[in-house]
Amino acid sequence: MAIHSAVFLQSATIVAGIGASAAEFAGFSDNKLMDSLDLIARHRRHLDTYAAWAAGEIAARSRLEHGYGGLAQREGFANAVNLVRSRAQTTHAEASKQVALGTMLAAAAAAAAASAPPDYPSSPSPSSPPQTAVPPSWQTSISAALVEAVVSADGIEAIRRGLGEVDVAVSEIALSAASEQLLAEAEGASADHLLRRARQMRDQLDADGIALRERRRHEARSLTRWIRRDGMYQVSAVLDPEGGRTVFAAFEAILGPRGGGPRFVDPAEKERARAITDDPRTDAQITADALVEMIRIAAAADESTLFGRSRPAVRVVVTEAALAQPRTDGSSSTSHGYIEGMPDPISIETVERHLCDTGSVGIMFDGDGRCLNVGRERRLFTARQRIGLAIRDGGCRFGDCDRPASWCEAHHIRQWSRDHGTTDIADGVLLCRFHHLLVHNNHWEIVREGASYWLRPPPGDDPLQSLRPMPSRSVVMTEMAALGSRG
């Protein structure tokens, strides 16, 4: 896999001709500015490949078997990552990514050389990775996508890390199919989105390992505390998804009116939101004060007090099929559920614990993902309808927005007054406050075709008004769709 020099030189020439100063860019029209960004991004993807090639070869020349004679060691560094970080003046994370991708590309090149016809032998360099370093064939497609500048280095690394390695539970064929699907979804997707999708696919391929991974995350939790020299007390915590979501939900409930959370209709809630917005303290100060107050209340509570009347809004989502799945050994199950807004699945045991503690609300969906049993005649979406929307949409459906469902508002596709629309969940979608206001103020429209939703931009933004997909963020709905497609 090699970049044709003519393609790279053409890309460099185009980028160099875009402009030579901030003043020139300031004079661009909106369309030219966006086109320029696309051209620059594509050229950067080419450069990422060169950076990976260099980092991969540095890693090869710095392998452990070279000892202190390795390239990085002779330059005074413990390993290739530290050398790349220093010479490229970049972060440790960026250098690690370049080394990982470079090693993958070098191994892919070695694999291609090993399979070359005997009439045209390839002579690997002394520093080329040994045959044992040849990667699984599933990485061949993502290596090609990087070299061809189809996907950014960040996107490729997200796919590689998210899918993980071949093992007894996940075959090379399965990872190859998953990587091909992710590459097909990569256009217009951020690296963060690709990492979430890759992790979801890995979990779907290895359902047996969900409980183990959940337990490992739980065991990795920690909290450290110390007193600084200036007399301030400092705390640093790493929480597992279940505990972290509980803490974050509490803080989001406190800071919601400030951070773009949903607006309130109830007068009392409006007044509370106004008080929080007008509070002179910073968000960090409010959060710190809230944490101290929570601990003070808990520490002073009577031991006989039963807490639970009011708790952070943390919902667990699970399908009936998952709950009904028989236990494989009488004690454990390969089925799972999700904490709403979190991409990582949780074991069925954790789901059952939550159901025992808080009960359940049944929401029915048909085979196309349409919600069936939440009502449709009231002006405002009810709490039950919002639960249905949260499960179906998984958060804001506008573009690549990552706002969770708890921070979203329910938007009527067919507006109540203008279009005489009903409060039907099929004609509602979740949008965060920013995108909800943008849709109304900038005159975007949302179109529904069956169970699919599309954005239609205003003519001023797109004269053709080309429809843009609004995919669900819900992992549960993705799994249900996959099960339906398999019959």
Side-chain angles (χ1 to χ4, degrees):
M1 287 175 285
I3 294 177
H4 295 295
S5 58
V7 174
F8 179 75
L9 289 174
Q10 181 184 30
S11 174
T13 301
I14 291 173
V15 170
I18 291 175
S21 68
E24 289 190 52
F25 277 77
F28 290 174
S29 66
D30 288 350
N31 287 338
K32 184 175 181 179
L33 185 61
M34 298 303 292
D35 289 342
S36 299
L37 180 62
D38 291 340
L39 292 169
I40 294 167
R42 181 166 182 81
H43 185 64
R44 178 175 289 171
R45 291 198 290 270
H46 284 309
L47 287 175
D48 283 342
T49 302
Y50 278 93
W53 278 335
E57 184 59 25
I58 289 172
R61 300 184 187 188
S62 305
R63 290 197 300 265
L64 290 176
E65 59 262 33
H66 295 307
Y68 287 101
L71 177 57
Q73 293 80 359
R74 284 187 281 112
E75 293 290 327
F77 297 93
N79 52 52
V81 170
N82 288 346
L83 171 57
V84 171
R85 179 181 63 176
S86 176
R87 294 298 289 264
Q89 297 182 353
T90 188
T91 64
H92 187 275
E94 177 67 19
S96 297
K97 178 193 72 180
Q98 291 176 7
V99 167
L101 292 178
T103 301
M104 181 183 72
L105 292 179
S115 61
D119 292 341
Y120 303 96
S122 178
S123 301
S125 67
S127 60
S128 297
Q131 289 301 308
T132 54
V134 173
S137 61
W138 76 266
Q139 292 187 355
T140 302
S141 58
I142 61 175
S143 297
L146 175 61
V147 172
E148 295 166 8
V150 175
V151 183
S152 70
D154 288 330
I156 294 297
E157 176 65 357
I159 294 174
R160 188 190 70 83
R161 282 176 43 215
L163 290 181
E165 303 295 335
V166 174
D167 58 26
V168 294
V170 181
S171 69
E172 190 170 306
I173 294 175
L175 287 183
S176 180
S179 65
E180 292 289 352
Q181 182 177 341
L182 286 167
L183 289 175
E185 298 175 7
E187 183 178 357
S190 67
D192 290 338
H193 172 77
L194 290 174
L195 179 59
R196 287 194 299 270
R197 286 285 293 124
R199 287 170 57 191
Q200 291 166 10
M201 287 185 174
R202 179 72 191 205
D203 285 324
Q204 291 164 8
L205 293 171
D206 185 15
D208 288 337
I210 287 175
L212 175 61
R213 290 189 290 275
E214 181 186 23
R215 185 165 63 251
R216 286 175 176 170
R217 285 192 292 266
H218 182 68
E219 291 171 350
R221 71 195 185 284
S222 66
L223 186 146
T224 56
R225 64 198 192 284
W226 63 96
I227 304 174
R228 302 189 327 191
R229 291 182 177 179
D230 60 0
M232 297 292 284
Y233 284 66
Q234 190 155 341
V235 177
S236 176
V238 177
L239 304 176
D240 62 281
E242 185 180 355
R245 187 63 223 149
T246 300
V247 173
F248 274 37
F251 290 144
E252 287 167 2
I254 294 168
L255 294 172
R258 283 190 168 202
R263 290 162 291 180
F264 298 98
V265 177
D266 181 82
E269 290 293 339
K270 276 187 175 182
E271 180 60 26
R272 189 184 75 85
R274 186 197 62 76
I276 294 172
T277 303
D278 294 344
D279 194 310
R281 294 174 295 173
T282 65
D283 288 358
Q285 289 171 334
I286 292 175
T287 304
D289 291 346
L291 176 62
V292 171
E293 190 62 22
M294 291 176 196
I295 295 174
R296 181 180 289 120
I297 292 172
D302 189 306
E303 292 183 0
S304 64
T305 301
L306 179 63
F307 289 98
R309 288 186 57 196
S310 178
R311 63 182 67 193
V314 178
R315 275 196 291 262
V316 168
V317 183
V318 64
T319 64
E320 280 190 340
L323 285 175
Q325 183 174 334
R327 304 301 174 94
T328 56
D329 59 1
S331 61
S332 63
S333 170
T334 59
S335 58
H336 56 273
Y338 293 88
I339 295 173
E340 186 181 277
M342 303 293 290
D344 298 304
I346 56 176
S347 66
I348 202 66
E349 289 78 15
T350 300
V351 170
E352 290 172 339
R353 173 164 50 80
H354 277 269
L355 291 177
C356 178
D357 184 33
T358 61
S360 64
V361 176
I363 304 295
M364 294 174 59
F365 291 88
D366 65 14
D368 293 324
R370 287 178 286 211
C371 198
L372 301 177
N373 64 331
V374 293
R376 56 181 296 161
E377 297 302 330
R378 298 179 61 175
R379 166 66 182 87
L380 300 175
F381 285 95
T382 66
R384 188 180 179 87
Q385 285 178 315
R386 286 188 58 85
I387 293 174
L389 285 168
I391 295 171
R392 188 198 68 190
D393 294 352
C396 179
R397 292 182 74 144
F398 196 108
D400 198 30
C401 184
D402 60 359
R403 287 293 191 184
S406 60
W407 285 62
C408 291
E409 300 172 344
H411 169 71
H412 288 81
I413 294 176
R414 297 178 66 248
Q415 294 183 30
W416 181 267
S417 299
R418 187 193 69 182
D419 304 322
H420 305 290
T422 58
T423 306
D424 181 355
I425 192 172
D427 285 328
V429 295
L430 288 186
L431 298 173
C432 68
R433 181 194 295 184
F434 172 80
H435 284 123
H436 198 183
L437 292 172
L438 183 145
V439 164
H440 285 280
N441 294 338
N442 289 20
H443 308 294
W444 289 69
E445 295 290 341
I446 298 176
V447 179
R448 177 170 68 87
E449 297 178 358
S452 299
Y453 298 85
W454 305 81
L455 273 170
R456 177 183 288 142
D461 290 346
D462 179 2
L464 299 178
Q465 292 190 284
S466 302
L467 295 180
R468 306 179 187 183
M470 299 181 73
S472 170
R473 313 293 182 204
S474 172
V475 186
V476 174
M477 298 306 295
T478 301
E479 287 189 3
M480 290 173 60
L483 289 172
S485 66
R486 292 197 292 266

